[in-house]
């Protein structure tokens, strides 16, 4: 990707995409190999805990080890896993005795219930807040927003979740009204609900985790946006636009914001992996059945193919996201051309 005059052809873009996809192939194999190697370097395996059980005979351990393929050398295990992966098979879970995709995908959907709305709210709120802070620098509103942003950066999101849960419970103890559920994803009797009742129930349970995720992310994102806008507003082209008599709205949103948002667009590639990576410890604190609790259990149980399958899904989405970021950059900045 290089700098050139505005304008680009579909042929050039298709050629660029093809080259990027071809270059991602060795990256994919190298990254999956390293991930598989790091997982294998951990001492023991899934059957190590069973070896400590006196009721389990060595013959049973040996049979299970051969059944799961854990008695093979590392390179054979990797090649077998890669063969299955190329056939869209992420492997078989030792702990759940089921294909990895059947176990992981429902958890991914549960996590997306939290991550997708919080990501949308992040952009809808953080960008205007950052722009406001740059346009009203050192005003009372800017100082208040900056204070809240620093406070949000200082408080871990899982601790913020605990604080909100405490406040909700205090309201419940004093009034008998549960404003929002503090744990879980559904209410009792969920299976008997109608479709729309299920949607409302899940949304009601998701409010508190979404608020926590959005609040913690807005804190840092708005500060970045504010800094980028301040830098853009100090550039010569902005002063030139104002000297030409252009309306302030055009100067700010067509010239300054469009350039200030370029670094934000460049980081969009990291959003896709977060859609399946879950809400982190917020899911653990709020007992949300997302991907993070499953991944932590898989790591503690050394469920090799669940961990490897999850890392592979994140890797693929990261590569796709980076490609989309480059394409969006060319749309936002006409100076970017494909070579």
């Amino acid at each position: 990707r290089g700098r050139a005059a505005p304008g680009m052809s579909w042929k050039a873009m298709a050629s660029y995409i093809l080259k990027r996809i071809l270059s991602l192939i060795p990256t994919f194999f190298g990254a999956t190999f390293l991930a598989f190697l790091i997982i294998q370097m951990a001492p023991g395996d899934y059957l190590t805990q069973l070896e400590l059980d006196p009721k389990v005979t060595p013959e049973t351990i040996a049979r299970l080890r051969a059944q799961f393929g854990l008695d093979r050398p590392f390179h054979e295990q990797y090649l077998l896993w890669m063969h299955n992966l190329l056939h869209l098979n992420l492997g078989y879970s030792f702990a759940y005795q089921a294909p990895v995709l059947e176990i992981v995908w429902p958890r991914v959907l549960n996590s997306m219930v939290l991550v997708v709305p919080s990501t949308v709210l992040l952009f809808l709120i953080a960008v205007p807040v950052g722009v406001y802070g740059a346009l009203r620098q050192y005003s009372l509103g800017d100082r208040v927003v900056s204070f809240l942003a620093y406070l949000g950066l200082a408080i871990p999101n899982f601790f913020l979740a605990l604080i909100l849960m405490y406040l909700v419970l205090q309201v419940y103890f004093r009034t008998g009204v549960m404003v929002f559920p503090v744990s879980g994803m559904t209410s009792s009797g969920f299976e008997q609900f109608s479709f729309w009742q299920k949607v409302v129930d899940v949304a009601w349970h998701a409010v508190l985790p979404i608020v926590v995720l959005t609040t913690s992310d807005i804190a840092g994102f708005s500060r970045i946006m504010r800094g980028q806008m301040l830098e853009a507003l100090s550039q010569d082209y902005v002063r030139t636009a104002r000297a030409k008599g252009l309306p302030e709205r055009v100067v700010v949103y067509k010239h300054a914001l469009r350039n200030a948002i370029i670094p934000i667009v460049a980081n969009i590639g990291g959003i896709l992996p977060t859609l399946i990576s879950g809400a982190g410890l917020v899911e653990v604190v709020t007992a949300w059945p997302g991907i993070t609790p499953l991944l932590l259990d898989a790591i503690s149980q050394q469920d090799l193919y669940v961990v490897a399958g999850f890392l592979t899904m994140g890797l693929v989405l990261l590569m796709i996201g980076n490609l989309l970021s480059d394409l969006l950059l060319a749309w936002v900045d006409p100076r970017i051309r494909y070579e």
Side-chain angles (χ1 to χ4, degrees):
R1 188 174 70 240
R3 300 281 183 176
M8 58 183 175
S9 65
W10 287 102
K11 183 178 179 180
M13 184 175 66
S15 176
Y16 170 78
I17 294 175
L18 179 61
K19 290 179 181 178
R20 281 294 303 272
I21 292 176
L22 293 176
S23 67
L24 290 176
I25 294 176
T27 302
F28 173 78
F29 284 105
T32 53
F33 177 81
L34 288 177
F36 202 85
L37 176 62
I38 292 173
I39 296 171
Q40 288 279 25
M41 289 176 63
D45 53 37
Y46 173 73
L47 298 176
T48 301
Q49 297 180 356
L50 287 179
E51 293 177 346
L52 302 177
D53 189 348
K55 298 180 181 179
V56 181
T57 63
E59 292 76 13
T60 302
I61 296 294
R63 178 177 56 81
L64 291 175
R65 197 174 297 279
Q67 176 182 340
F68 294 146
L70 297 176
D71 59 339
R72 301 185 182 185
F74 162 75
H75 67 278
E76 290 187 13
Q77 294 186 45
Y78 174 74
L79 291 176
L80 177 61
W81 176 68
M82 182 56 63
H83 175 268
N84 293 332
L85 186 61
L86 295 177
H87 290 80
L88 303 180
N89 179 6
L90 296 178
Y92 199 78
S93 169
F94 305 148
Y96 293 89
Q97 294 292 292
V100 169
L101 191 59
E102 292 183 6
I103 300 168
V104 172
W105 187 244
R107 295 298 191 99
V108 169
L109 295 178
N110 292 345
S111 292
M112 290 177 69
V113 172
L114 301 182
V115 178
V116 172
S118 65
T119 302
V120 174
L121 289 174
L122 169 65
F123 283 94
L124 292 179
I125 298 175
V127 172
V129 168
V131 173
Y132 172 82
L135 296 178
R136 303 288 188 273
Q137 189 179 13
Y138 302 130
S139 66
L140 178 61
D142 180 40
R143 294 179 186 275
V144 171
V145 170
S146 298
F147 171 77
L148 294 177
Y150 288 131
L151 192 64
L153 289 172
I155 301 178
N157 55 9
F158 69 89
F159 186 68
L160 179 60
L162 291 173
I163 294 175
L164 293 182
M165 291 167 64
Y166 171 79
L167 295 177
V168 169
L169 290 175
Q170 288 301 311
V171 172
Y172 174 72
F173 293 149
R174 294 177 183 275
T175 65
V177 177
M178 181 64 73
V179 182
F180 298 111
V182 295
S183 66
M185 181 178 174
T186 58
S187 303
S188 58
F190 180 79
E191 297 299 329
Q192 284 71 42
F193 292 172
S194 65
F195 172 77
W196 289 111
Q197 287 177 325
K198 291 181 178 180
V199 172
V200 172
D201 186 62
V202 172
W204 186 44
H205 282 76
V207 170
L208 192 145
I210 289 175
V211 169
V212 172
L213 292 174
T214 306
T215 303
S216 60
D217 290 338
I218 285 176
F221 196 90
S222 62
R223 300 304 297 173
I224 295 175
M225 192 67 228
R226 179 180 182 273
Q228 293 294 329
M229 275 297 294
L230 286 174
E231 182 179 355
L233 290 171
S234 65
Q235 297 299 315
D236 292 338
Y237 62 85
V238 173
R239 287 193 288 268
T240 301
R242 284 173 173 162
K244 290 181 177 180
L246 293 178
E248 185 67 14
R249 178 178 57 83
V250 175
V251 173
V252 171
Y253 295 103
K254 184 177 181 180
H255 296 280
L257 180 59
R258 187 167 184 175
N259 285 276
I261 208 170
I262 288 176
I264 307 301
V265 174
N267 292 324
I268 288 180
I271 291 180
L272 288 183
T274 62
L275 297 181
I276 71 160
S277 62
L281 293 179
V282 174
E283 291 181 342
V284 178
V285 172
T286 59
W288 188 271
I291 195 66
T292 303
L294 174 66
L295 184 60
L296 292 176
D297 289 341
I299 293 174
S300 64
Q301 295 174 351
Q302 293 183 289
D303 202 346
L304 168 64
Y305 296 116
V306 172
V307 179
F310 173 76
L311 293 177
T312 302
M313 293 172 63
L315 171 64
V316 172
L317 289 178
L318 180 61
M319 293 189 300
I320 295 174
N322 286 333
L323 179 59
L324 291 177
S325 292
D326 289 342
L327 298 177
L328 288 174
L329 279 174
W331 177 68
V332 173
D333 189 350
R335 297 170 298 176
I336 296 178
R337 289 282 301 272
Y338 299 110
E339 294 180 351

